[in-house]
Amino acid sequence: MALDRLGSSLTNAIKKLFKAGVVDEAAVKELVRDIQRALLQSDVNVQLVLDISKRIEERALKENVPPGISRREHVIKVVYEELTRFVGDKPVPLKVEPGKKKIIMLVGIQGSGKTTHAAKIARYYQKRGFKPGLIAADTFRPGAYAQLLQLGNRINLTVFGDAKAKDPVKVVREGLKVYADKDLIIVDTAGRHKEEKDLIKEMKDLEKNIKPDEVIMVIDGTIGQQALVQAKTFHEATPIGAIIVTKLDGSSRGGGALSAVAATGAPIKFIGTGEKIEDIEPFVPSRFVGRLLGMGDLETLLEKVHDAEVKVPQKKTKEILSGKFTLTDMYEQFSAVKNMGPFSKVLKMLPGMSYNVPDEMLNNAEGRLDMWRVIIQSMTPEEKENPKILNSSRARRIARGSGTTEKDVKELLKQYLMMRKMLKMFKRKKKLPFGLGGKGGMMGGIPPNFK
């Protein structure tokens, strides 16, 4: 991810403090220097770096240590609090209420990912039971309507627009009539540049005529400190209510973009973390900083588990827990884990795991999961339902069909037997994986020997 380097550097700085024999003034100053270096390497504005490091040093050295914690723990708490304040302090969610129409208008320069994130926001709320609608008001860029329509089709959402339209205000007005029953209406506008006076004027006219509940600016995270210039220019044209920072999965300049936006005072409501339509998450400063410092982010992980949940009918649940756990069921569990995203993202939400897992191990685990899914796909329905019939002859055929080896097939069967045993253990403890009922079992669907 774009911010892995920053997170790794900050985590190493914290680790160094833990290893220090005494947390004295020299140790605190060394920590501050390490934090300064990490922030500057992530393209954070020099003055902002000086401000935050000064606050960390002053608080760490002058504040009285609260009872019950050590000075070392207090210093880390100060770092966590100041970094959280640095990127926004408190979360400012996009409030959408069932049955109440909310109109948001997305603005930004060309190539910022505005159209894609219009669909991402729609998908985010669609999965939470809301009724979103998309309006293609970009009448300037050829193919903008077609792109949004394609994205809408992928998530089974209607898109209102007209490929031949010239007047975006008219398009939006007609779209609002069509979407009278929607909870959330997302208006995708034409991409513009801060020097493009005609497009800036169009943005003003749109805002004046459609009166959106909120104007959200989409900023490309790869532009670093230039985000500040963009945000200020757009805010002068149309009051910007919030920001979405995109492409935080592919640039080391993400820290610069986030800090520059925070400096404008406009809250960051979402961040884009990948290319898939599911790769968007609400921006919660405390969670974000927790991940950067290696503290994990269990709340976001739990949300991902919930989103990826495999809903199993009650009858099927009873069969599985009575020992009738088939390879088809195992395949569904693998798919659920896959839907949570790459292992690298999942593991980095676990406390203590953020930057401690070698990339090679992550790649091997993910590759093995994909391989096992292909092996199961290469089996006959009878073999999936009754794995006991899998002899050497069948294993050879499955290996050829899946492009793997007999050893790989046997390893899968070994994991299957272990997983079946694990389910029986979960049943006794009332702690079941994914959609199999009970409480907890957050990571129950992952085979125990994923190493």
Side-chain angles (χ1 to χ4, degrees), residues 207-435:
E207 195 272 337
K208 181 181 177 182
N209 282 280
I210 69 174
K211 294 181 173 59
D213 296 296
E214 197 160 348
V215 179
I216 300 179
M217 184 177 181
V218 180
I219 290 181
D220 183 338
T222 66
I223 65 172
Q225 295 181 38
Q226 285 300 310
L228 180 60
V229 179
Q230 275 191 24
K232 283 185 175 179
T233 302
F234 277 72
H235 186 70
E236 287 168 5
T238 304
I240 302 296
I243 304 284
I244 297 174
V245 182
T246 69
K247 304 179 186 178
L248 286 181
D249 58 319
S251 167
S252 60
R253 307 185 76 191
L258 287 171
S259 59
V261 169
T264 67
I268 301 170
K269 295 210 169 176
F270 285 97
I271 54 174
T273 58
E275 296 180 359
K276 295 180 181 178
I277 207 158
E278 314 286 346
D279 291 338
I280 185 172
E281 60 183 68
F283 184 69
V284 181
S286 58
R287 294 190 198 178
F288 182 79
V289 171
R291 259 185 276 175
L292 282 182
L293 296 179
M295 297 175 182
D297 181 2
L298 288 176
E299 290 179 77
T300 299
L301 180 57
L302 284 168
E303 288 175 7
K304 285 183 177 292
V305 171
H306 178 75
D307 289 344
E309 212 168 28
V310 176
K311 299 296 182 182
V312 183
Q314 189 66 30
K315 182 181 177 183
K316 186 64 176 175
T317 300
K318 289 179 180 178
E319 288 179 359
I320 290 173
L321 296 178
S322 66
K324 296 178 182 177
F325 177 65
T326 69
L327 283 165
T328 301
D329 300 319
M330 189 176 183
Y331 180 86
E332 289 174 350
Q333 290 288 296
F334 285 170
S335 297
V337 174
K338 190 71 176 173
N339 288 339
M340 288 169 62
F343 271 165
S344 55
K345 288 185 180 180
V346 173
L347 287 179
K348 285 174 183 177
M349 292 179 192
L350 295 172
M353 295 288 283
S354 295
Y355 302 100
N356 292 332
V357 184
D359 289 339
E360 184 180 355
M361 177 181 165
L362 291 173
N363 294 335
N364 287 342
E366 194 142 11
R368 188 176 296 184
L369 183 67
D370 288 336
M371 178 182 68
W372 287 347
R373 293 174 75 232
V374 172
I375 290 173
I376 295 174
Q377 284 177 320
S378 300
M379 295 178 182
T380 65
E382 184 184 11
E383 289 165 346
K384 292 175 187 175
E385 295 300 312
N386 185 17
K388 290 181 181 179
I389 67 172
L390 286 171
N391 54 28
S392 297
S393 166
R394 288 175 181 267
R396 279 195 297 273
R397 191 205 77 245
I398 292 166
R400 286 196 302 270
S402 59
T404 59
T405 66
E406 286 183 65
K407 183 181 177 182
D408 294 329
V409 176
K410 289 176 182 177
E411 185 186 23
L412 168 64
L413 292 175
K414 180 182 176 182
Q415 291 295 330
Y416 161 74
L417 292 172
M418 291 181 70
M419 198 168 176
R420 192 168 66 173
K421 280 184 183 179
M422 189 170 62
L423 274 170
K424 290 180 180 178
M425 288 170 58
F426 276 126
K427 181 188 178 184
R428 289 196 294 269
K429 294 178 181 179
K430 305 294 184 184
K431 198 173 183 182
L432 307 176
F434 294 110

Side-chain angles (χ1 to χ4, degrees), residues 194-209:
K194 61 181 183 296
E195 275 87 28
E196 292 175 342
K197 294 181 180 179
D198 290 343
L199 285 173
I200 291 289
K201 181 180 180 300
E202 179 187 294
M203 182 176 74
K204 287 181 178 179
D205 291 342
L206 262 175
E207 195 272 337
K208 181 181 177 182
N209 282 280

Side-chain angles (χ1 to χ4, degrees), residues 101-107 133-138 160 167-177 179 185-190 192 201-216 238-239:
K101 185 187 294 184
K102 185 178 186 76
I103 304 169
I104 64 172
M105 185 173 103
L106 300 188
V107 301
L134 292 162
I135 297 180
D138 183 351
F160 184 86
D167 183 357
V169 173
K170 183 180 178 183
V171 171
V172 175
R173 282 177 174 167
E174 291 175 357
L176 292 177
K177 292 177 184 177
Y179 287 152
I185 299 172
I186 303 160
V187 181
D188 178 34
T189 66
R192 56 255 306 157
K201 181 180 180 300
E202 179 187 294
M203 182 176 74
K204 287 181 178 179
D205 291 342
L206 262 175
E207 195 272 337
K208 181 181 177 182
N209 282 280
I210 69 174
K211 294 181 173 59
D213 296 296
E214 197 160 348
V215 179
I216 300 179
T238 304

